[in-house]
Amino acid sequence: MLLYLVRRVLYAIPIALAVGLVCFMLVQIAPGDPINAIVPADAPQEVVEQVRRDYGLDKPLPVQFGLWLMKVVQGDLGRSLATGRPVTADLVSAVGNTLTLALVAAGIGFVMGSLLGTVAAVFRGSLLDKAAIGLAAAGVSVPHYWLGMVLVVLFSVTLNWLPAMGAGPGGSGAWAWDWEHAKFLVLPAVTLSVIPMGIVTRTVRGVVAELLNQDFVTTLRGKGLRRGGIALHVLKNAAPSVLAVMGLQLGYLMGGSILVETVFSWPGTGFLLNSAIFQRDLPVLQGTILVLAIFFVALNLVVDLVQTALDPRIRRA
């Protein structure tokens, strides 16, 4: 197990380097000049060139990438071109907010998806099965940013039950576990949970339905084992496959929440990325994408380790 862990960590290093390089090149070829986010439009050319030299943007691209990579290894992601603040300081708060939103949304989506998928598999072909499949298809098909706007109109504008924007009272970006802050989390979490709910529902239904037709389930029934015991064996065998899908979905929630966070003005990495794109804030863009990519790789590693612990067949392989 230790050798496997070391090998996977070593595999993650070139992946992180490749992600950093691709991110750097994509940001560089984007239209616009990042200096425009710093100096006014009527600034003299001498001032523009001086600022460009101060930020190292006058150097060749390979040199810029090498300097940025050396700083990243030292834990320095640079400073924002728009605000002058350290990128790391902005990312710590943003990652915490996005992780909170992703975990709550994943909890809602995974629990609902597991229940719907199990019910659909046990009662396959029935009205309950068709209803669960319909909900799953709707969850995957409906654009979550559109669903977010519908929920805002219904629960914030019409009913005035829940706040529409922000992460806390008075536009505060600091999160606290109390109802005054939690109610700001309800709408974005529900919106973000719809897609993983649909995917998990279909995955659980397919895996559980296949397992229910296996010979070992027939044997367990023939021995007189109760439904609860049979269900325990089925869920144990279904756990590795379902866990892999859940791990991927949690990673997607961390990196794919930009539209939902923008709709609800949730101060996370998606909202930070959206602002950085419009301001062409290169250090924020590169740092945020790199951190999210590393998180995704680390999450896949954790899922693989948990799968190995749950399934003896993987350990033997």
Side-chain angles (χ1 to χ4, degrees), residues 112-159:
M112 293 299 299
S114 299
L115 290 176
L116 289 174
T118 304
V119 170
V122 173
F123 300 98
R124 57 187 180 276
S126 66
L127 186 60
L128 287 175
D129 182 20
K130 295 177 181 178
I133 293 176
L135 285 175
V140 175
S141 304
V142 172
H144 49 203
Y145 61 87
W146 176 84
L147 177 61
M149 291 186 285
V150 171
L151 293 179
V152 167
V153 171
L154 179 60
F155 291 101
S156 299
V157 178
T158 304
L159 300 175

Side-chain angles (χ1 to χ4, degrees), residues 10 21 61 85 102 105 109 125 139 144 162 207 222 233 275:
L10 292 177
L21 178 60
L61 290 182
R85 287 169 47 83
H144 49 203
L162 296 168
V207 173
H233 283 278
S275 301

Side-chain angles (χ1 to χ4, degrees), residues 51-109:
V51 173
R52 196 182 301 276
R53 285 192 295 272
D54 293 341
Y55 281 91
L57 299 177
D58 60 323
K59 296 179 175 62
L61 290 182
V63 176
Q64 291 185 39
F65 177 73
L67 294 174
W68 175 73
L69 191 60
M70 285 192 296
K71 291 182 178 180
V72 168
V73 173
Q74 300 171 3
D76 181 12
L77 296 177
R79 288 184 172 272
S80 169
L81 298 180
T83 64
R85 287 169 47 83
V87 175
T88 305
D90 291 337
L91 270 177
V92 168
S93 174
V95 169
N97 289 331
T98 295
L99 186 59
T100 300
L101 176 60
L103 289 175
V104 174
I108 297 172

Side-chain angles (χ1 to χ4, degrees), residues 81-282:
L81 298 180
T83 64
R85 287 169 47 83
V87 175
T88 305
D90 291 337
L91 270 177
V92 168
S93 174
V95 169
N97 289 331
T98 295
L99 186 59
T100 300
L101 176 60
L103 289 175
V104 174
I108 297 172
F110 295 168
V111 170
M112 293 299 299
S114 299
L115 290 176
L116 289 174
T118 304
V119 170
V122 173
F123 300 98
R124 57 187 180 276
S126 66
L127 186 60
L128 287 175
D129 182 20
K130 295 177 181 178
I133 293 176
L135 285 175
V140 175
S141 304
V142 172
H144 49 203
Y145 61 87
W146 176 84
L147 177 61
M149 291 186 285
V150 171
L151 293 179
V152 167
V153 171
L154 179 60
F155 291 101
S156 299
V157 178
T158 304
L159 300 175
N160 196 26
W161 287 356
L162 296 168
M165 295 185 295
S172 172
W175 175 256
W177 289 101
D178 54 43
W179 173 242
E180 290 300 319
H181 288 78
K183 62 184 179 182
F184 285 85
L185 183 62
V186 174
L187 292 183
V190 171
T191 301
L192 204 58
S193 69
V194 171
I195 291 179
M197 181 200 71
I199 294 175
V200 171
T201 297
R202 296 196 297 187
T203 302
V204 171
R205 180 189 181 276
V207 173
V208 173
E210 181 180 357
L211 288 172
L212 289 176
N213 291 325
Q214 295 290 323
D215 292 337
F216 79 92
V217 175
T218 306
T219 303
L220 292 175
R221 287 171 178 164
K223 289 184 175 181
L225 190 64
R226 295 181 179 180
R227 288 187 176 182
I230 295 176
L232 186 62
H233 283 278
V234 170
L235 293 177
K236 185 177 180 180
N237 282 271
S241 300
V242 175
L243 183 64
V245 174
M246 289 181 176
L248 289 175
Q249 288 305 306
L250 180 58
Y252 292 147
L253 290 178
M254 281 292 296
S257 60
I258 180 171
L259 295 178
V260 173
E261 290 187 1
T262 301
V263 169
F264 293 100
S265 296
W266 183 264
T269 54
F271 190 77
L272 187 65
L273 273 175
N274 185 60
S275 301
I277 289 171
F278 282 102
Q279 296 173 340
R280 207 166 189 276
D281 198 336
L282 302 188

